[in-house]
């Protein structure tokens, strides 16, 4: 199994655990934000559809350059869902 297969498998596993916490981020002032698996998959699916609507094609290559954050994770999952 290569790294792309592993990440796509992760996306599938996350979707099956929809009510479990999938992501926790510490914000300034020790404020904690968390997302359920359902919230994470819905947000990444919406972004994937937006990317496809904007002309992204399955198989396209994308460089994802950003600070480590929940947004990065959503973007990564969305890119995989879009097939890029």
């Amino acid at each position: 199994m290569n790294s792309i297969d592993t990440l796509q498998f992760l996306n599938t596993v996350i979707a099956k655990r929809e009510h479990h916490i999938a992501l926790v981020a510490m914000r300034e002032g020790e404020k904690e934000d968390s997302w359920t698996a359902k919230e994470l998959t819905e947000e990444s699916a919406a972004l994937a559809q937006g990317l496809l609507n904007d002309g992204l094609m399955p198989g396209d290559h994308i460089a994802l350059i950003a600070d480590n954050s929940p947004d990065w994770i959503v973007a990564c999952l969305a890119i995989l869902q879009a097939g890029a």
Side-chain angles (χ1 to χ4, degrees):
M1 184 178 281
N2 66 35
S3 61
I4 298 297
D5 292 336
T6 302
L7 289 171
Q8 288 172 335
F9 177 73
L10 174 64
N11 218 4
T12 302
V13 170
I14 290 170
K16 290 180 182 178
R17 301 179 54 94
E18 66 178 30
H19 297 294
H20 291 84
I21 298 297
L23 182 61
V24 176
M26 297 304 293
R27 302 290 186 185
E28 288 184 38
E30 297 186 26
K31 181 178 182 266
E32 184 180 290
D33 288 334
S34 63
W35 291 265
T36 63
K38 183 176 182 176
E39 292 168 329
L40 184 59
T41 55
E42 286 175 350
E43 197 165 328
S44 61
L47 180 56
Q49 190 59 55
L51 291 169
L52 292 168
N53 291 346
D54 283 346
L56 182 73
M57 300 292 291
D60 282 354
H61 295 273
I62 294 179
L64 180 55
I65 301 169
D67 291 335
N68 186 10
S69 71
D71 294 333
W72 189 98
I73 294 169
V74 169
C76 181
L77 293 173
I79 291 164
L80 291 171
Q81 287 178 28

